[in-house]
């Protein structure tokens, strides 16, 4: 029996296969080691388009020199089985050398909004993300590309790139999928040791606290940040990178909350660095 899902490993073949597709194409870029968060994007893409392409590519240019590129979890066989179930049509899994020749030296960089929050902590991260997404969009030529709100700043940065550079696709952002205890699903959660996994619930607890304060009428962004920080500091395994209450479009830090505001945070729990966010509407 021929497998229903087609695995494509070269850019040339992806372009050839793309031109055989009829109707709209939904595209889900991922780094693999898939979980329900990724699959929710593939599901929605399948609802909205006759053809769905999912890319699995651990993109080296978005990792900093001291980050976890080499140890990033990978399991292609399992990923393919999960995507078969979602009825994805094509998996594009190029090699790093296929995507970046030794003479590769062209970059796509979004300004201000990519330099805040994650961009401040990981200075070359978004340049890597926007460059690989621009390449993938040129190769796959999707009608729509699907991103998770889990990486809220990434979705914003990609939207800005697509709008500023007049790219010919629609960006769809879908809600964060969580574990029953609130922890946002992430491929990096596998790094968490059992006691760290328990401690990691503090991220969502602090975001929930922010939401409760806001719904009770708190408008002072500083007080919301402070309460979140105090809660996280009670967890000895947690080390805060940032806690932010910012304008949801510009990501400028707010003094007074004006909705929609993005409450986001990055916290190290042991080795893994986790991020999460909610929007105050
Ligand atoms: P990654 O494989 O981490 O690059 O993620 C690929 C896509 O899946 C990105 O658009 C992420 O925002 C999205 N994603 C990751 N985790 C989740 C989640 N828990 N819920 C929804 N989307 C997610």
């Amino acid at each position: 029996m021929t497998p229903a899902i087609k695995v494509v490993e070269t850019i040339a073949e992806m372009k050839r296969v793309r031109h055989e597709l009829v109707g709209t194409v939904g595209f889900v870029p991922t780094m693999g080691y898939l979980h329900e968060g990724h699959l929710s994007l593939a599901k929605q893409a399948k609802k909205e388009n006759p053809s769905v392409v999912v890319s699995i590519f651990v993109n080296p240019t978005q990792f900093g020199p001291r980050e976890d590129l080499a140890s990033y979890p990978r399991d292609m066989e399992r990923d393919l089985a999960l995507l078969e179930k979602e009825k994805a049509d094509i998996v594009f899994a190029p090699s790093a050398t296929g995507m970046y020749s030794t003479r590769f030296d062209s970059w796509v960089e979004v300004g201000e909004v990519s330099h805040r929050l994650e961009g401040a902590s990981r200075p070359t991260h978004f340049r890597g993300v926007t460059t690989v997404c621009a390449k993938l969009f040129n190769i796959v030529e999707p009608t729509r590309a699907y991103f998770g709100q889990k990486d809220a700043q990434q979705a914003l940065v990609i939207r800005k790139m697509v709008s500023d550079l007049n790219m010919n696709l629609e960006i769809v952002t879908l809600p964060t999928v969580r574990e029953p205890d609130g922890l946002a699903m992430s491929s990096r959660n596998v790094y968490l040791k059992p006691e760290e996994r328990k401690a990691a619930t503090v991220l969502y607890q602090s975001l929930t606290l922010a939401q409760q304060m806001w719904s009770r009428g708190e408008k002072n962004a500083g007080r919301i940040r402070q309460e979140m920080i105090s809660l996280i500091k009670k967890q000895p395994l947690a080390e805060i990178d940032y806690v932010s209450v910012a304008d949801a479009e510009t990501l400028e830090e707010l003094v007074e909350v004006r909705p929609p505001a993005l409450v986001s945070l990055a916290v190290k729990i042991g080795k893994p660095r986790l991020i999460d966010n909610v929007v105050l509407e």
Side-chain angles (χ1 to χ4, degrees):
M1 199 181 91
T2 47
I5 201 159
K6 186 170 176 62
V7 182
V8 174
E9 292 179 340
T10 68
I11 293 169
E13 197 196 351
M14 186 60 236
K15 287 190 173 187
R16 189 181 61 70
V17 170
R18 166 64 180 97
H19 287 281
E20 288 168 359
L21 299 176
V22 178
T24 65
V25 174
F27 177 45
V28 183
T30 82
M31 298 206 298
Y33 212 73
L34 304 179
H35 50 66
E36 286 299 326
H38 298 114
L39 299 180
S40 72
L41 305 180
K43 269 192 190 90
Q44 188 63 24
K46 195 67 201 183
K47 270 192 205 150
E48 296 178 356
N49 308 275
S51 300
V52 170
V53 180
V54 177
S55 64
I56 296 182
F57 179 58
V58 182
N59 173 37
T61 63
Q62 72 189 67
F63 287 78
R66 278 176 298 282
E67 293 180 5
D68 56 346
L69 172 62
S71 64
Y72 196 83
R74 291 161 167 91
D75 190 343
M76 185 60 84
E77 230 170 276
R78 183 173 157 272
D79 288 351
L80 292 180
L82 290 169
L83 291 172
E84 283 255 21
K85 270 198 217 146
E86 300 305 335
K87 308 216 173 355
D89 300 274
I90 297 167
V91 170
F92 178 46
S95 66
T97 49
M99 286 292 274
Y100 298 105
S101 78
T102 49
R103 287 180 302 178
F104 183 90
D105 199 18
S106 302
W107 302 93
V108 180
E109 192 166 351
V110 169
E112 204 69 4
V113 77
S114 85
H115 299 140
R116 303 177 188 279
L117 305 176
E118 286 300 287
S121 297
R122 309 176 69 192
T124 57
H125 174 66
F126 283 120
R127 183 181 89 149
V129 169
T130 40
T131 300
V132 81
C133 284
K135 283 170 70 71
L136 291 168
F137 294 166
N138 284 333
I139 296 163
V140 175
E141 294 183 45
T143 317
R144 305 183 180 91
Y146 296 79
F147 289 87
Q149 176 65 19
K150 157 77 171 35
D151 300 280
Q153 187 178 12
Q154 169 173 279
L156 261 182
V157 168
I158 300 282
R159 271 180 194 282
K160 181 136 185 71
M161 171 184 79
V162 165
S163 156
D164 285 355
L165 300 183
N166 313 99
M167 292 181 172
N168 208 8
L169 76 159
E170 183 190 332
I171 300 298
V172 181
T173 310
L174 296 175
T176 303
V177 177
R178 300 180 179 283
E179 300 286 357
D181 64 4
L183 179 67
M185 289 196 181
S186 163
S187 308
R188 287 189 169 100
N189 290 350
V190 292
Y191 296 143
L192 296 166
K193 301 194 182 97
E195 71 279 18
E196 294 168 349
R197 171 63 187 80
K198 277 187 214 148
T201 54
V202 79
L203 276 85
Y204 189 59
Q205 281 162 12
S206 71
L207 292 169
T208 307
L209 175 64
Q211 264 172 334
Q212 285 166 349
M213 289 175 77
W214 166 245
S215 57
R216 285 192 207 119
E218 181 63 79
K219 291 203 168 64
N220 185 316
R223 270 205 288 273
I224 294 178
R225 271 183 225 108
Q226 211 41 58
E227 290 293 314
M228 291 174 72
I229 290 169
S230 305
L231 179 70
I232 299 164
K233 283 194 167 157
K234 287 186 193 145
Q235 176 47 254
L237 294 176
E239 188 194 318
I240 297 173
D241 182 351
Y242 63 80
V243 170
S244 160
V245 180
D247 180 277
E249 277 296 310
T250 65
L251 301 185
E252 278 171 289
E253 289 303 320
L254 296 170
V255 174
E256 187 179 311
V257 179
R258 271 178 284 107
L262 182 74
V263 183
S264 65
L265 75 176
V267 178
K268 275 185 84 174
I269 306 280
K271 256 204 203 128
R273 179 178 177 282
L274 305 179
I275 61 172
D276 199 355
N277 67 84
V278 294
V279 176
L280 305 181
E281 309 275 6

